[in-house]
Amino acid sequence: QVKDRGKGHYRFYRPQMNADLLSRIQLDHAMREGLKRQEFVLHYQPRVCMESGELRTCEALVRWNHPERGLVLPGEFITVAEETGFIVKLGQWVLQAGIAQAAAWARQGTPCQVAINVSALQFQQASLVDEVAQALQQHGLPAHLLELELTESILIHDAEEALARLQALADLGVHLSLDDFGTGYSSLTYLKRFPLHKLKIDRTFIASLHEDETDAAIVSAIIQMGHALQMQVVAEGVEQPEQHQRLRALGCDHFQGFLFSPAVPAQTFSEALQGPGLRYRG
Ligand code: C2E
Ligand code: MG
Ligand code: MG
Ligand code: MG
């Protein structure tokens, strides 16, 4: 990254810079066109509840159905969308689409809480609270069927402002979770003050949970701390039965991962909600 750091600092030049910039501008333009052409879709990954084994919550994950490249995963476009600011527009679309889907499932008699990822830049928009409130009202969705997933990066700018915004969202009745927990900078002071319903343990800790005693100790500590602070704990990236068993023994409340299912199109998820294949027991 090349930035003008002001007097006394050198700017440096990489030959790659122009190419990078050009391809980012092109990608940004293509995404904006793609959004207009309704090429973005949400897929839904189930979360399994430890107590009931039932499927009552899921995470909405955005994909780009590109006419030439096929289904493009967020790893290929989210970073650029965040850099250019397009994430704010995309995030508004995701919010509308996710809330519309959650409302449809509730109307069908198969309610499922939908968790939506909110980027730090989107969270910084003062209009976010009104947008959420309006979308809930417009689609007639009970607020508790919406969860917003935030990361510790929302604290970077103004922690007091972030706290006020979180409180306003929580006051709507929306559930809030802290995503990728353990990889950022949140202090225990914030965790105590923030109105969070859930902690999501980052999948890097889950990956070696069953082989690495240090990771197992960290996961155990996160679960105990979450419970002590009245939060539920979600494990992401559960891929192996041994990880699931270990997490169950540690008292983790929800499991998400390829062991159960990847994110699937809405239609497939609807069928799972309606069908008998609802219960996972491991
Ligand atoms: P995330 O919010 O931490 O989402 C979890 C990611 O882990 C998803 O990747 C999911 O497909 C993947 N995953 C789930 N289970 C497993 C598993 O068992 N093993 C492994 N290796 N991976 C698993 P995905 O869909 O590619 O999304 C990547 C990231 O992109 C997300 O991480 C999130 O930060 C971002 N993202 C996705 N959708 C949105 C969105 O609508 N808005 C925003 N702002 N960010 C999004
Ligand atoms: Mg997430
Ligand atoms: Mg995550
Ligand atoms: Mg993650």
Side-chain angles (χ1 to χ4, degrees):
Q1 215 171 336
V2 179
K3 273 189 183 157
D4 191 350
R5 296 186 191 281
K7 262 191 200 154
H9 293 266
Y10 292 98
R11 299 174 102 227
F12 55 92
Y13 177 80
R14 284 182 303 144
Q16 229 193 316
M17 182 174 94
N18 287 322
D20 282 356
L21 185 62
L22 186 63
S23 62
R24 277 187 286 169
I25 290 168
Q26 281 169 342
L27 178 56
D28 181 68
H29 179 73
M31 286 190 290
R32 287 173 199 273
E33 291 300 310
L35 187 61
K36 282 187 208 148
R37 288 197 298 261
Q38 305 190 320
E39 289 170 2
F40 286 90
V41 290
L42 292 181
H43 282 189
Y44 298 87
Q45 185 178 36
R47 254 184 216 169
V48 182
C49 170
M50 175 165 93
E51 245 178 60
S52 63
E54 282 178 355
L55 173 56
R56 287 210 215 95
T57 74
C58 64
E59 178 173 5
L61 294 157
V62 72
R63 274 94 183 87
W64 183 5
N65 215 338
H66 193 279
E68 281 132 41
R69 294 162 63 200
L71 203 65
V72 184
L73 294 175
E76 295 195 39
F77 59 86
I78 285 282
T79 308
V80 170
E82 282 168 345
E83 285 168 3
T84 65
F86 173 66
I87 193 70
V88 175
K89 275 217 117 174
L90 183 62
Q92 286 168 337
W93 177 83
V94 169
L95 200 61
Q96 287 291 334
I99 289 175
Q101 184 60 70
W105 284 328
R107 274 197 304 276
Q108 283 165 25
T110 51
C112 184
Q113 184 188 55
V114 174
I116 289 175
N117 292 282
V118 176
S119 278
L121 189 63
Q122 192 186 358
F123 183 80
Q124 282 161 33
Q125 313 297 309
S127 56
L128 178 71
V129 182
D130 284 344
E131 280 166 22
V132 172
Q134 270 175 29
L136 289 172
Q137 210 203 2
Q138 187 194 330
H139 295 280
L141 183 72
H144 73 275
L145 291 177
L146 175 66
E147 178 176 304
L148 299 178
E149 293 195 2
L150 306 151
T151 61
E152 294 156 86
S153 58
I154 62 164
L155 296 170
I156 288 172
H157 288 277
D158 183 341
E160 291 306 315
E161 191 182 300
L163 176 58
R165 191 149 303 145
L166 285 175
Q167 194 59 58
L169 290 166
D171 289 345
L172 294 177
V174 166
H175 285 204
L176 302 172
S177 62
L178 200 54
D179 204 356
D180 304 336
F181 183 70
T183 59
Y185 305 94
S186 56
S187 79
L188 298 179
T189 315
Y190 289 136
L191 272 191
K192 188 179 127 188
R193 291 177 63 206
F194 283 8
L196 297 167
H197 294 76
K198 295 191 188 93
L199 280 184
K200 294 192 71 180
I201 310 173
D202 191 72
R203 70 164 185 264
T204 52
F205 299 114
I206 307 299
S208 42
L209 171 68
H210 55 301
E211 314 163 330
D212 179 338
E213 280 315 309
T214 311
D215 279 345
I218 290 172
V219 169
S220 170
I222 294 176
I223 293 169
Q224 289 182 46
M225 183 185 61
H227 287 169
L229 296 170
Q230 317 295 328
M231 289 185 270
Q232 296 205 318
V233 182
V234 184
E236 62 177 23
V238 183
E239 293 181 352
Q240 297 172 27
E242 301 79 53
Q243 295 163 346
H244 182 211
Q245 268 152 29
R246 192 77 190 253
L247 287 160
R248 283 177 66 101
L250 292 172
C252 188
D253 304 285
H254 299 272
F255 314 104
Q256 206 182 321
F258 295 162
L259 176 63
F260 307 102
S261 168
V264 296
Q267 181 56 36
T268 311
F269 198 88
S270 299
E271 284 158 20
L273 282 173
Q274 278 156 5
L278 261 181
R279 301 178 72 83
Y280 300 96
R281 279 281 179 202

